[in-house]
Amino acid sequence: MPAPVQHYDEMNLPAGAGRGVREHYRHVVDWLAGMPPERVAEKRREADLLFHRVGITFAVYGDEAGAERLIPFDTIPRIIPLAEWEMLAKGLKQRVTALNRFLHDIYHGQEILKAGVIPPEQVLTNEAYQVSMIGLELPNRVYSQISGIDLIRHEDGGYYVLEDNLRTPSGVSYMLENRKMMMRLFPELFATQSVLPVEHYPGLLLDTLRAAAPHEMREPTVVVLTPGQYNSAYFEHAFLAQQMGVELVEGADLFVKDGHVYMRTTGGRQRVDVIYRRVDDAYLDPLAFRPDSFLGVPGLLSVYRAGNVSLANALGTGVADDKSTYPYVPDMIRFYLSEEPILKNVPTWQLKKPDDLAQVMDNLAKLVVKEVQGSGGYGMLIGPTSTKKEVEAFRARILANPANYIAQPTLSLSTCPTFVEQGIAPRHIDLRPFVLSGKDVKFVPGGLTRVALKEGSLVVNSSQGGGTKDTWVVE
Amino acid sequence: MLSRVADRIFWMSRQMERAENMARILGVTSNLVLFGTKDAQQQKTLLAPLSITETDTAFFENHKKLTLPALLDFMALDEKNPSSIYSCLKWARENAHAVRWQITSEMWETLNATWLELKGFKRKDIVGADATRFFDWVKDRSHLFRGVTYGTIVRGEAFNFSRLGTFLERADNTARILDVKYHILLPRVEDVGGALDYYQWAALLRSVSAFETYRTLYRDQIFPIKVAELLLLERKMPRSLAACFDQVKEALDRIDGKQDKGAKRLAGELHVRLTHADIEEIFQSGLHEYLEQCLDNIGELGNRIQRAYLGTI
């Protein structure tokens, strides 16, 4: 199996550069070395138990109804030196700012299309493009209040953006719970070095959501809208609502009357100003979108368009995080900000282009192919780790509808030492920082580190057997 | 509090209380059947739980003969019977799951564990030799849930609605249990006051954990009128209608009620009526009729609560 040969090891220096570990991991390595294996095993069991008791679980699509799985938590942290994080933070801010500018532009003057930077059909015929958003003025001109930007570190040591998530990115609750768990299990680790805190995320999120209120108001009523208890991310919805001290509502709790959105409470109706919705665009309003949706609120779109309620994220952000739009993001940064992109894109072939398609068809077994609208690690091909039969089956799917796919070189995700059955072994990881855009751009240092627990696997998604690690930014 | 959340909490509590009362009703039935030697009398005894829960039609749709195992199967374990113990425990847990962030983790864990333990019982044991152990287990789980709720939940709307659900359901069930006696009326006047009559009243008292209470409070033989007084009007007796309405009224009074739709007024009226009722008068005009009236009122109060606080505006 021709797996990528080289990859960047987050902890250990390469063999050629002398033995040893990278400076920022020294503390953890010493601590690991000094800990007897029984104690490690005991602590890992304790973590499992605590996660189960708190109910931090993840419902998996296709499993027996309501089945809940624990996301494996690995106790060896992923560490990022502060200087590196500062570079990433600058790049993230730049990228998300440009993406928000882009979203405002395509629903207004469409300057970027007129300038020929992006082909108009790429935007206007995209199924995530919402005609109903045209001309709508949003508070602070922010469309994606909460963005999850997936980063990987390549064998060259550089970070690359793998994809942008501007719809309803999830995972931040694991970031917070992982930190809580680490501090509880290994307080001694935090005493000896300064790990930048992440616990204030819910506060920042609430600030961001309040900043999205339709008018200047002292205390806008914010709610979290969930599809309900059977949704895979229900734990996170409930967790964030509780942490922010706001109501967790379902579609049926809300109704539209006299141009406003209200929630039904035991004390009567109460007006709602900002909806942090964890429901997809198509399900938000059965009158405007899918009529069979029970998850949404009839009439919501009309209130939204009248500027009497805010949605976070806005409708129609999907056009900017679509995998077929992704190749244009560096150009967006240059176009709107007149800056060079700080974070690199992964080279991408767009299979709707005949030349790109031909090249990809010749090298399919070496590449990664993704559906432009896919997410969660579903509907993708990883050439090098697939059988010949799988590759050929996928080839047929691509040829049936090339525009639905993009291809990228198989990236060598960096590895981080991880507890596995045989002991400690390197496993591939990525990083999802959460970027909050309100009156300005904010984040907590780090993000969610996902780890592919299967040896050699590059798929870190929790729906595909991935785990998580606590992510440290250290001074 | 969101109406949906209040609704879930209200029904979660009602369903646990209903499961307990079902266990009580079935327990007393299993017991009474032992005394009914004559076939006709036995059939009456077995029919009583179905009549008072208004599930006789549903039962005979799927069963030809009314036997004790068939009755227990239907009322304890039938998934299609919405009042069966199985359904009550299932829905109590479902409701708790939907609002597990608005209740305490101990409450959720209690209902979840109850549901998981239920699966450890075997059907043939429950409808057979182990029936009593099963009913005791149901009662224990209900006691545990109430204790956990009382011991952990914040004294706010969640607590109010939980209490409202528990005691409204209990009032309903006590009225129904007392009405059992009407349905198994002895066929001949000379049997009234006889040994069988005594056992029936004693079993009924035991079913609501009131046998010792009766002895303590009345220090007397068991007389029907006193049993009725104890279960209807004696507020020291925690399952009596009067005691239940003390709780219902207090819980409702604490609920922020800008749009009450007459719920508080009706609860107040019923509370006052139970406070000043006279058991002699009730007996003169007919206990069964009085109980039917009570059940109607409780049903109407439930509807008003639903409309005012829990449903759509």
Side-chain angles (χ1 to χ4, degrees):
Chain A
M1 195 169 67
V5 264
Q6 290 276 319
H7 42 250
Y8 185 93
D9 188 313
E10 297 278 347
M11 183 190 282
N12 300 300
L13 288 163
R19 298 201 157 268
V21 297
R22 298 181 196 279
E23 194 50 40
H24 55 279
Y25 267 97
R26 187 159 306 280
H27 261 98
V28 167
V29 169
D30 291 348
W31 163 79
L32 267 175
M35 203 162 54
E38 314 86 72
R39 194 168 127 79
V40 176
E42 185 197 310
K43 286 288 179 185
R44 291 182 62 205
R45 272 197 306 276
E46 195 182 332
D48 246 28
L49 202 73
L50 285 170
F51 273 123
H52 260 303
R53 201 187 311 153
V54 184
I56 305 174
T57 53
F58 187 88
V60 180
Y61 292 116
D63 266 17
E64 181 198 339
E68 289 171 356
R69 244 193 252 162
L70 207 61
I71 299 193
F73 168 67
D74 186 68
T75 45
I76 302 177
R78 185 260 182 85
I79 306 178
I80 302 170
L82 182 60
E84 211 168 277
W85 168 252
E86 281 170 345
M87 181 276 295
L88 287 178
K90 236 184 262 172
L92 290 166
K93 185 173 176 175
Q94 178 194 54
R95 189 169 178 105
V96 170
T97 304
L99 285 164
N100 271 312
R101 290 279 292 271
F102 169 71
L103 283 162
H104 181 263
D105 186 23
I106 59 170
Y107 292 121
H108 290 83
Q110 305 185 339
E111 304 300 333
I112 199 163
L113 308 184
K114 288 176 193 154
V117 177
I118 299 178
E121 71 274 10
Q122 170 59 36
V123 171
L124 304 178
T125 65
N126 191 306
E127 50 181 287
Y129 187 77
Q130 290 285 357
V131 178
S132 56
M133 291 299 290
I134 294 173
L136 195 61
E137 273 306 316
L138 296 187
N140 310 307
R141 294 195 170 172
V142 169
Y143 286 71
S144 178
Q145 283 87 353
I146 300 101
S147 313
I149 310 296
D150 290 349
L151 301 169
I152 55 135
R153 198 206 281 267
H154 191 45
E155 64 192 49
D156 61 10
Y159 284 95
Y160 288 78
V161 175
L162 197 58
E163 65 182 39
D164 306 292
N165 296 282
L166 310 180
R167 300 173 204 211
T168 55
S170 65
V172 79
S173 55
Y174 302 110
M175 172 187 91
L176 296 167
E177 285 295 326
N178 288 352
R179 176 60 56 84
K180 208 157 87 189
M181 190 63 71
M182 283 301 279
M183 293 184 79
R184 180 165 173 168
L185 294 176
F186 310 112
E188 69 274 14
L189 264 178
F190 292 84
T192 49
Q193 60 190 324
S194 126
V195 179
L196 297 187
V198 296
E199 292 81 353
H200 53 299
Y201 179 85
L204 293 183
L205 177 60
L206 186 58
D207 284 350
T208 302
L209 293 169
R210 285 187 171 155
H215 323 283
E216 279 294 324
M217 48 176 97
R218 205 136 45 100
E219 223 161 90
T221 300
V222 175
V223 299
V224 177
L225 174 63
T226 174
Q229 57 176 313
Y230 299 111
N231 184 268
S232 62
Y234 179 71
F235 164 78
E236 175 156 307
H237 308 160
F239 175 86
L240 289 174
Q242 198 199 35
Q243 294 287 307
M244 291 191 288
V246 305
E247 292 288 357
L248 175 68
V249 303
E250 294 175 12
D253 294 325
L254 301 179
F255 65 99
V256 167
K257 198 158 194 214
D258 308 328
H260 289 276
V261 177
Y262 295 92
M263 57 180 162
R264 304 174 212 278
T265 78
T266 55
R269 66 185 196 185
Q270 189 185 337
R271 210 174 97 180
V272 171
D273 305 304
V274 181
I275 301 175
Y276 177 25
R277 50 92 171 207
R278 298 291 295 257
V279 172
D280 292 341
D281 284 6
Y283 297 93
L284 273 178
D285 181 351
L287 298 184
F289 308 112
R290 287 184 64 145
D292 58 338
S293 169
F294 293 106
L295 307 177
V297 186
L300 177 61
L301 185 69
S302 68
V303 181
Y304 184 54
R305 286 205 37 94
N308 287 333
V309 73
S310 295
L311 296 174
N313 292 346
L315 274 180
T317 52
V319 70
D321 74 0
D322 186 313
K323 291 183 183 70
S324 69
T325 304
Y326 165 88
Y328 300 102
V329 177
D331 287 337
M332 286 179 203
I333 295 171
R334 294 184 190 101
F335 183 77
Y336 294 114
L337 308 177
S338 310
E339 293 171 10
E340 270 308 300
I342 298 167
L343 296 173
K344 284 175 268 192
N345 253 29
V346 179
T348 302
W349 291 280
Q350 301 174 271
L351 304 196
K352 63 182 178 186
K353 298 183 181 169
D355 289 354
D356 284 18
L357 179 63
Q359 273 190 42
V360 167
M361 285 297 123
D362 288 347
N363 296 292
L364 198 53
K366 293 182 204 151
L367 304 174
V368 175
V369 186
K370 297 173 182 173
E371 285 181 19
V372 292
Q373 297 277 359
S375 69
Y378 293 103
M380 63 188 284
L381 170 78
I382 300 179
T385 63
S386 300
T387 64
K388 212 164 174 184
K389 213 171 141 196
E390 285 166 341
V391 172
E392 291 317 307
F394 213 89
R395 184 190 303 276
R397 279 169 64 186
I398 297 171
L399 288 172
N401 185 10
N404 194 34
Y405 297 91
I406 55 124
Q408 293 169 336
T410 306
L411 288 158
S412 72
L413 272 60
S414 61
T415 61
C416 184
T418 300
F419 280 110
V420 294
E421 263 179 50
Q422 306 79 23
I424 297 177
R427 288 292 181 267
H428 293 289
I429 57 170
D430 78 347
L431 175 68
R432 175 180 286 184
F434 295 90
V435 184
L436 298 172
S437 308
K439 288 200 165 61
D440 41 31
V441 177
K442 294 174 193 163
F443 24 56
V444 296
L448 177 68
T449 293
R450 297 184 295 179
V451 52
L453 293 173
K454 260 197 288 179
E455 189 174 359
S457 169
L458 297 171
V459 185
V460 295
N461 303 81
S462 45
S463 50
Q464 312 271 312
T468 65
K469 283 170 170 289
D470 191 14
T471 308
W472 294 2
V473 173
V474 293
E475 280 181 58
Chain B
M1 164 167 279
L2 285 173
S3 296
R4 173 179 51 84
V5 173
D7 183 60
R8 295 280 197 171
I9 291 173
F10 177 76
W11 281 103
M12 166 187 79
S13 302
R14 277 195 87 149
Q15 276 141 351
M16 260 334 255
E17 184 66 27
R18 186 172 296 182
E20 178 185 335
N21 284 290
M22 275 297 172
R24 290 175 177 280
I25 290 173
L26 294 177
V28 70
T29 305
S30 312
N31 213 322
L32 285 172
V33 162
L34 301 177
F35 299 107
T37 45
K38 292 190 197 79
D39 203 43
Q41 187 58 35
Q42 248 197 22
Q43 283 297 304
K44 262 191 186 174
T45 308
L46 291 172
L47 194 56
L50 295 170
S51 320
I52 62 170
T53 54
E54 295 159 45
T55 51
D56 35 353
T57 319
F59 177 86
F60 285 109
E61 268 168 22
N62 291 304
H63 299 82
K64 276 203 206 89
K65 266 184 75 180
L66 178 56
T67 61
L68 183 62
L71 177 77
L72 294 183
D73 189 63
F74 176 72
M75 296 198 70
L77 300 173
D78 196 329
E79 293 172 43
K80 288 183 298 253
N81 174 7
S83 298
S84 73
I85 291 174
Y86 178 95
S87 299
C88 288
L89 297 182
K90 177 182 171 191
W91 285 104
R93 186 230 180 222
E94 284 282 306
N95 283 326
H97 186 242
V99 294
R100 64 194 272 194
W101 292 84
Q102 283 88 8
I103 59 178
T104 62
S105 51
E106 287 92 340
M107 289 167 72
W108 155 247
E109 280 166 20
T110 302
L111 293 182
N112 193 35
T114 302
W115 174 243
L116 297 175
E117 276 177 40
L118 174 65
K119 293 179 173 173
F121 281 94
K122 291 201 181 72
R123 180 175 292 260
K124 70 173 189 344
D125 295 341
I126 294 177
V127 303
D130 248 0
T132 310
R133 189 173 74 82
F134 176 69
F135 298 140
D136 284 346
W137 172 79
V138 174
K139 280 190 273 182
D140 282 350
R141 297 308 298 186
S142 171
H143 292 321
L144 180 63
F145 172 67
R146 229 175 15 256
V148 160
T149 303
Y150 196 80
T152 60
I153 201 171
V154 173
R155 268 42 182 178
E157 295 290 51
F159 179 61
N160 294 334
F161 281 103
S162 167
R163 201 151 74 126
L164 198 52
T166 300
F167 289 102
L168 199 64
E169 182 67 26
R170 187 182 292 177
D172 178 279
N173 286 292
T174 297
R176 288 180 198 274
I177 289 176
L178 187 52
D179 209 24
V180 166
K181 193 61 176 104
Y182 169 82
H183 290 273
I184 53 173
L185 272 182
L186 295 166
R188 291 172 308 176
V189 181
E190 54 267 37
D191 284 336
V192 175
L196 184 53
D197 195 29
Y198 169 83
Y199 278 119
Q200 285 183 348
W201 284 109
L204 199 144
L205 279 173
R206 284 209 178 85
S207 79
V208 288
S209 311
F211 187 75
E212 292 88 352
T213 313
Y214 184 94
R215 292 289 196 214
T216 313
L217 288 178
Y218 294 100
R219 299 178 190 285
D220 202 348
Q221 305 252 28
I222 292 176
F223 296 111
I225 194 163
K226 287 191 171 162
V227 173
E229 185 178 37
L230 181 68
L231 296 193
L232 288 175
L233 308 179
E234 179 52 63
R235 14 179 64 86
K236 285 183 218 146
M237 153 63 195
R239 307 194 79 82
S240 76
L241 260 71
C244 291
F245 266 86
D246 282 346
Q247 301 279 342
V248 165
K249 186 177 178 300
E250 199 180 299
L252 258 178
D253 283 345
R254 288 186 184 183
I255 288 166
D256 170 26
K258 275 187 219 99
Q259 35 157 24
D260 180 63
K261 316 241 174 179
K264 289 185 182 186
R265 185 161 48 79
L266 182 56
E269 264 177 50
L270 298 176
H271 184 251
V272 167
R273 260 191 257 163
L274 281 164
T275 306
H276 299 290
D278 178 71
I279 196 67
E280 304 275 353
E281 261 175 44
I282 292 173
F283 258 61
Q284 272 159 26
S285 51
L287 177 62
H288 174 65
E289 289 69 22
Y290 182 81
L291 290 171
E292 287 209 311
Q293 183 62 48
C294 282
L295 286 173
D296 283 351
N297 290 334
I298 292 167
E300 172 60 17
L301 179 57
N303 288 340
R304 290 191 192 181
I305 289 169
Q306 199 76 39
R307 278 201 301 273
Y309 304 108
L310 311 176
T312 51
I313 295 163

